[in-house]
Amino acid sequence: MQNERPRLTPAIADVRRAVRVSIAEGEVVLVALSGGPDSLALAAATAFEAPRARARAGAIIIDHGLQPGSVDAAANARDHATALGLAPVVAKTVTVGVDGGPEAAARTARYRALAEAARELGATAVLLGHTLDDQAETVLLGLARGSGAASLQGMAAKTGLYRRPLLGIRRSQTVQFCKDSGLTPWLDPQNDDPAFSRVRVRKVVLPTLEAELGPGISEALARTAEQLREDTEALDHFAEEIAEDLAEHSEAGISLPVRALAANPAALRQRLIRLAVESEFHVSLSRSQTLEVARLVTDWHGQGPIDLPGVKVERHAGLLLFSTNE
């Protein structure tokens, strides 16, 4: 802990600058604080910048209860938040399920608790400490899983309640921020556990790529995510505009004209199909399901209806008809 204002070093200046643009005047924000270097640097920078933006800033600490010492780590994070001047400071213990594996289950429990705390405290945003390195790891994991553009675009700087001010900041900068500020972060032992795929990417895969291909891999992956997000947002916007003109609603469901679908590039055609199904039936199609439906447009030879979970799709009289199959 420190009692004096730290000297303005490059790391402190960079992190504060990133946080400054993420806080609006008069709002209430909460920092999701684990006590690690990333979230601790975020908390300290937010505590400095929020009053200057005439905003209020508190902290929310989540104890997953998954490892020995988690109670002490949460208490330490709470002490840090209080010493930094954040208020209110709230700690929540969550119960982690099993669905999707330990990482996904912990994430689900964490975000549920963060949203609950924001509602209780009237917060307009929750600030998360994800860095450029986290973004690079996310993109690389998405690439390895073949998850498509939605995964390769990584994490958004802003998604509903959540903001990630540090997506342009390297992890090494947050570590240096804490050192320069006299803050002692908690080092989560799970961040070194090779049982987790993200840790293997961080400790083995990215360093190997850097060694074999040269420096700058993490920055390149983060740039790729940003570019894909821009492209995806543009294509989604065009698809929504086109769908407003093409879609016809009826009691049975929704229809799209085959000729118009065929005239559009594959990326837009497949978005129109997914958008029709999601908006009308609240069902998200996988890529393979979407391509199966698209063949009714691009590879038509008289085939019959396609039955998907909750949706039936058929081609009739120049239309692609979507209706419930339940």
Side-chain angles (χ1 to χ4, degrees), residues 61-258:
I61 296 117
I62 306 297
D63 179 8
H64 299 85
L66 295 177
Q67 53 187 311
S70 66
V71 173
D72 292 337
N76 186 56
R78 186 167 191 160
D79 289 344
H80 272 302
T82 301
L84 288 167
L86 295 171
V89 177
V90 176
K92 287 181 175 286
T93 301
V94 298
T95 300
V96 178
V98 296
D99 291 346
E103 292 176 272
R107 184 168 55 249
T108 298
R110 179 168 61 253
Y111 277 92
R112 186 183 299 120
L114 292 175
E116 182 181 81
R119 285 194 302 271
E120 291 172 352
L121 300 173
T124 50
V126 175
L127 308 186
L128 306 175
H130 296 118
T131 65
L132 185 148
D133 297 80
D134 294 309
Q135 184 76 300
E137 293 159 13
T138 299
V139 174
L140 203 52
L141 284 166
L143 181 63
R145 293 165 181 160
S147 304
S151 179
L152 294 182
Q153 63 187 270
M155 297 174 285
K158 183 177 181 180
T159 307
L161 178 68
Y162 303 104
R163 300 177 195 170
R164 299 177 175 88
L166 306 186
L167 283 183
I169 299 293
R170 295 301 304 263
R171 187 174 291 131
S172 58
Q173 291 174 280
T174 66
V175 171
Q176 189 63 48
F177 180 107
C178 292
K179 182 178 179 181
D180 294 343
S181 301
L183 299 169
T184 304
W186 172 64
L187 301 179
D188 185 350
Q190 289 190 342
N191 286 337
D192 292 315
D193 186 349
F196 297 103
S197 55
R198 184 175 287 272
V199 173
R200 297 195 297 275
V201 167
R202 180 181 307 152
K203 298 290 186 178
V204 179
V205 178
L206 276 170
T208 299
L209 289 174
E210 294 272 358
E212 297 296 329
L213 302 178
I217 296 297
S218 293
E219 289 88 348
L221 289 168
R223 286 197 303 273
T224 298
E226 186 175 4
Q227 292 164 5
L228 276 171
R229 183 169 296 280
E230 291 171 353
D231 291 348
T232 297
E233 288 174 354
L235 285 168
D236 287 345
H237 175 71
F238 292 145
E240 289 171 3
E241 286 192 334
I242 294 170
E244 288 182 5
D245 293 333
L246 297 183
E248 293 290 339
H249 294 268
S250 67
E251 290 185 9
I254 191 171
S255 65
L256 296 169
V258 169

Side-chain angles (χ1 to χ4, degrees), residues 150 270-271 273-291 293 308-311 322:
Q270 286 150 206
R271 275 173 166 77
I273 291 169
R274 288 196 298 270
L275 184 59
V277 172
E278 187 167 2
S279 63
E280 189 72 15
F281 306 99
H282 308 292
V283 172
S284 296
L285 297 184
S286 67
R287 177 168 173 80
S288 61
Q289 291 169 334
T290 304
L291 292 176
V293 174
L308 300 170
V311 185
F322 301 83

